[in-house]
Amino acid sequence: MKKTPRAVRASFIGFAIVIAFTLFTPTSHLTNRTPHQRNSATPIHESTVVTSDSFVVGGFDTSRGGSYSFPSGTFLNQARASLSTNFPGVSFVETSTLTPAALAAVNVLIVSSASSNYSHITPLTGAEHSALLGFVQGGGCLILFPDNDSFGGTGTPEANESLIDPFGMDVAGTLNGTVIAAVGNPAASPITNGPFGIVSSFSQNYPGGLTNLGPLAASLAVNPLGHALAVIPSGAISSGSGRVVVFTDINTFGDDNENGFFPDNEALFLNTIKFCRGVGPPANKDQCQNGGWRTFNVPRAFKNQGDCIQFVNTGK
């Protein structure tokens, strides 16, 4: 099933009920959206500015990424605006094709398999797979959005898989309507326990699910199809490699007037960007243990637990 709008036209009876409710309840507000279950996150403070350092976010241009081009797509206006407000050093670049040259100046790359709610991108080529992998091996942070397997009709599964094949993952299925993805342990990652809030669940709209995490990813959240959010930590692909974050629905961060849930999921989005930009340094050796060394990429991505502890002890 394709992604369908959550807005539903009211019947005559429903309309009458809404009008009556409005007349007798002055503080109520009419909406053209079907009520949906809220996610669970701590409040976000709009004045919070985590970092003012300069960095570049890249993505497909609208000729390839359509409405879900992160740098300029019309369905991601709220996410871009929030990113610019909370990370004022950010700038954006866009490309129609992923090449080493196009990605050379990019720090965070955001790519979706959807170009609209009813169409998918042209699948990534083998050369683009190599560029994507090279970007991460060079320390870049990659945020991917494969989606459900039917929203764009024929070719949708291929477009989805083309994003995550380089990392050994698989995505499949379609869940209808609003879905609440559950975070198993928010404290396990700065993405779900970061400076913008603690996230124990988040909203999706017609998502897919990761059915195979591959050899390197860890799951942070699930939906009825499988994993809804997964992360490959820094240093996992190769020494000094960057992070890969995979969500299974672009509507998670889409504009709320285009079937998206960005206002509900803003803390999750900003935590993810902060996770990409840097976490650390570790304050003590305990933070390096039990895999904690993989969390940090400030002042650098550590090679192993011993490297992390050495930094705590010596500052080098």
Side-chain angles (χ1 to χ4, degrees), residues 238-308:
S238 61
S239 178
S241 63
R243 297 160 172 180
V244 180
V245 185
V246 181
F247 294 90
T248 60
D249 175 38
I250 187 60
N251 290 139
T252 299
F253 300 129
D255 291 352
D256 62 350
N257 63 341
E258 295 293 349
N259 310 322
F261 282 109
F262 182 77
D264 291 352
N265 296 326
E266 185 175 16
L268 179 63
F269 173 74
L270 294 174
N271 280 347
T272 301
I273 297 298
K274 175 58 179 172
F275 175 76
C276 280
R277 288 305 301 142
V279 176
N284 54 64
K285 66 180 182 180
D286 291 340
Q287 293 182 346
C288 299
Q289 297 174 351
N290 299 316
W293 61 273
R294 293 185 181 276
T295 301
F296 303 103
N297 63 353
V298 173
R300 65 178 183 273
F302 296 110
K303 297 177 182 178
N304 50 44
Q305 179 175 297
D307 187 29
C308 181

Side-chain angles (χ1 to χ4, degrees), residues 68-206:
Y68 284 117
S69 156
F70 193 85
S72 57
T74 56
F75 287 3
L76 294 170
N77 290 318
Q78 292 171 331
R80 273 195 310 276
S82 178
L83 178 55
S84 297
T85 297
N86 289 281
F87 296 82
V90 70
S91 58
F92 303 98
V93 298
E94 54 189 15
T95 181
S96 61
T97 306
L98 302 180
T99 65
L103 300 179
V106 174
N107 303 112
V108 180
L109 180 65
I110 302 177
V111 180
S112 167
S113 63
S115 56
S116 75
N117 284 334
Y118 308 102
S119 60
H120 58 76
I121 63 167
T122 303
L124 272 61
T125 65
E128 287 180 309
H129 284 169
S130 296
L132 206 61
L133 192 57
F135 170 75
V136 177
Q137 289 173 327
C141 186
L142 179 61
I143 305 175
L144 297 174
F145 293 89
D147 216 293
N148 76 59
D149 61 9
S150 59
F151 72 89
T154 303
T156 300
E158 290 77 10
N160 284 333
E161 288 293 332
S162 76
L163 298 189
I164 55 178
D165 273 348
F167 310 102
M169 298 182 182
D170 294 302
V171 64
T174 300
L175 290 172
N176 293 331
T178 300
V179 175
I180 302 299
V183 177
N185 178 15
S189 172
I191 291 177
T192 50
N193 184 11
F196 289 96
I198 299 171
V199 180
S200 59
S201 65
F202 57 91
S203 307
Q204 298 182 296
N205 186 41
Y206 286 80

